[in-house]
Amino acid sequence: MENDSNWAFDTLAVRAGQVRTLEHEHAEPIFPTSSYVFDSAAQAAARFRGDEPGNIYSRFTNPTVRTFEQRLAALEGAERCVATSSGMAAILSTCMGLLQSGDHIVSSNAIFGSTVVLFNKYLSPFGIDVSYVPLADLDAWQRAIRPETRLLFLETPSNPLTEVADITALAELAHANDCLLVVDNCLCTPALQQPLKLGADIVIHSATKYLDGQGRCVGGAVVGNKELVGEGVFGFLRTAGPTMSPFNAWVFLKGLETLHLRMKAHSDNALQLARYLEAHAAVSRVYYPGLESHPQHELACRQQSGHSGVLSFDVKGGQAAAWKLIDSTRLVSITANLGDTKTTITHPATTTHGRLTEEERAEAGIGDGLVRIAVGLEDIEDIQADLDRGLG
Ligand SMILES: *Cc1c(COP(=O)(O)O)cnc(C)c1O
């Protein structure tokens, strides 16, 4: 099926990338095959030389994985997408495919914990240096850029405090300094925010989160143009092998079909819960970009069409009150995952940010009373009632 370039987002989410086989199947098939058969020795030679397009081996290409890649690329408005075995593999493949020893990264300090470990423990011994800056401080980004800076890296909104970066301004800064802007679009997904259209060069996904949306598979993706992603990142991936399995690709590509509906429902539920918490006497502050009280509410409304399902709040009474709230729940799940139909609750100070020192936590704004909720798709009144018990 040819993609119609005029198709809207919701049509692309359901149709893009599908190629029917001779069986005329309606739904997309899974191709669990590690290699492919050639018609002749000459064809095999042509494929290996790169003179003839086509499948050779599933570390390089697989039809189910390709369908997922083409569909996600279409949703982000990109030329190319490369699927990876996890979100972390997407970040690793981007760095390995595009950077070399001596290069420098400027990164937001409010990024996923494993990304910090990847940068500091595993990339730095190979001569890649990383500086960290506050996400929303444009001057700090500018000051941190050096002649050897090659890449600016961020997540927006951040997790758990939902700070928002001005993607357009950072893309201008990056390009004025010959750098690439890489945005981890995990929280918003292309259904709510399309960073490439705002000037970013590469979008990273942990497909594990909202792209699946139902907590089943681990996977990731890198999205961008033919040169950076189709050659640079793909070149590393096909050689080193952190590829996505066809089964996982099938789960994710079916997830994309309902992505827009789910992200809208997550956003609606989260906004209602944020308003309820903001009005609650036991809560001192709520962090959610959809609230008028959020310091970057206007910016968030400009670059996002919704505010996703993740919110945080400070309960009065510190860790004891936060743990009491968490332990009083019967419906929501006590787990650090996010992007699931099932609502999850976590205490960042003693879990995701537990390895930081007290001073580092204070600097990051992770208080002892901070609770993070990734709001799912249950009825909002049931979620509220579940939290009300522990906040009472
Ligand atoms: C989970 C997550 C990752 C890592 O993804 P995995 O699929 O767990 O490897 C990267 N970035 C963000 C923002 C995440 O939430």
Side-chain angles (χ1 to χ4, degrees), residues 84-91 110-115 153-159 184-187 204-209 217-221 252 336-338 372:
T84 57
S85 56
S86 69
M88 290 315 303
I91 299 170
I111 57 171
F112 191 63
S114 294
T115 311
F153 186 94
L154 59 91
E155 296 167 18
T156 180
S158 69
N159 174 22
D184 184 332
N185 200 21
C186 172
L187 244 57
I204 301 278
H205 278 289
S206 168
T208 318
K209 313 295 168 51
C217 289
V218 174
F252 296 133
N337 199 30
L338 64 92
R372 191 204 72 189

Side-chain angles (χ1 to χ4, degrees), residues 80-360:
R80 273 301 305 268
C81 166
V82 167
T84 57
S85 56
S86 69
M88 290 315 303
I91 299 170
L92 174 68
S93 301
T94 301
C95 294
M96 294 302 284
L98 301 178
L99 299 178
Q100 57 184 23
S101 179
D103 286 346
H104 175 240
I105 299 173
V106 182
S107 172
S108 158
N109 60 14
I111 57 171
F112 191 63
S114 294
T115 311
V116 176
V117 178
L118 176 70
F119 287 165
N120 292 354
K121 186 169 175 193
Y122 295 103
L123 290 184
S124 83
F126 290 90
I128 293 170
D129 201 16
V130 187
S131 307
Y132 295 94
V133 295
L135 177 66
D137 184 346
L138 200 60
D139 290 339
W141 285 92
Q142 185 146 26
R143 281 197 305 274
I145 292 176
R146 306 177 195 160
E148 64 273 23
T149 306
R150 176 93 175 95
L151 205 143
L152 311 188
F153 186 94
L154 59 91
E155 296 167 18
T156 180
S158 69
N159 174 22
L161 293 176
T162 72
E163 273 185 295
V164 177
D166 187 335
I167 296 175
T168 309
L170 283 165
E172 278 169 20
L173 180 66
H175 299 150
N177 290 279
D178 265 337
C179 301
L180 302 171
L181 180 64
V182 180
V183 176
D184 184 332
N185 200 21
C186 172
L187 244 57
C188 274
T189 82
L192 303 181
Q193 169 175 277
Q194 293 159 332
L196 300 176
K197 292 186 179 161
L198 300 169
D201 300 285
I202 289 180
V203 164
I204 301 278
H205 278 289
S206 168
T208 318
K209 313 295 168 51
Y210 288 108
L211 302 191
D212 174 348
Q214 292 159 73
R216 298 164 293 191
C217 289
V218 174
V222 186
V223 192
N225 69 21
K226 281 184 189 144
E227 186 197 345
L228 295 172
V229 175
E231 291 169 29
V233 177
F234 179 64
F236 172 76
L237 185 106
R238 61 170 278 158
T239 308
T243 34
M244 180 180 281
S245 87
F247 176 77
N248 288 8
W250 181 81
V251 171
F252 296 133
L253 77 89
K254 298 312 276 183
L256 291 179
E257 295 183 5
T258 56
L259 182 66
H260 195 188
L261 292 173
R262 287 187 287 105
M263 293 314 291
K264 192 171 172 340
H266 280 291
S267 300
D268 289 349
N269 258 2
L271 183 59
Q272 274 201 59
L273 187 66
R275 292 213 169 110
Y276 156 82
L277 290 167
E278 198 167 44
H280 203 292
V283 173
S284 56
R285 180 165 176 193
V286 181
Y287 306 82
Y288 186 65
L291 291 174
E292 288 75 13
S293 59
H294 188 284
Q296 296 144 311
H297 175 64
E298 272 178 36
L299 171 62
C301 289
R302 242 186 297 135
Q303 69 183 17
Q304 303 168 202
S305 60
H307 305 289
S308 192
V310 173
L311 62 83
S312 295
F313 54 101
D314 290 311
V315 293
K316 294 175 184 167
Q319 181 179 323
W323 279 27
K324 173 174 166 258
L325 166 64
I326 291 168
D327 291 341
S328 303
T329 58
R330 292 175 201 156
L331 170 72
V332 309
S333 316
I334 306 174
T335 170
N337 199 30
L338 64 92
D340 198 310
T341 50
K342 295 177 171 67
T343 298
T344 67
I345 191 166
T346 187
H347 183 241
T350 52
T351 59
T352 50
H353 294 69
R355 274 184 290 175
L356 302 185
T357 65
E358 212 167 311
E359 295 77 57
E360 286 171 330

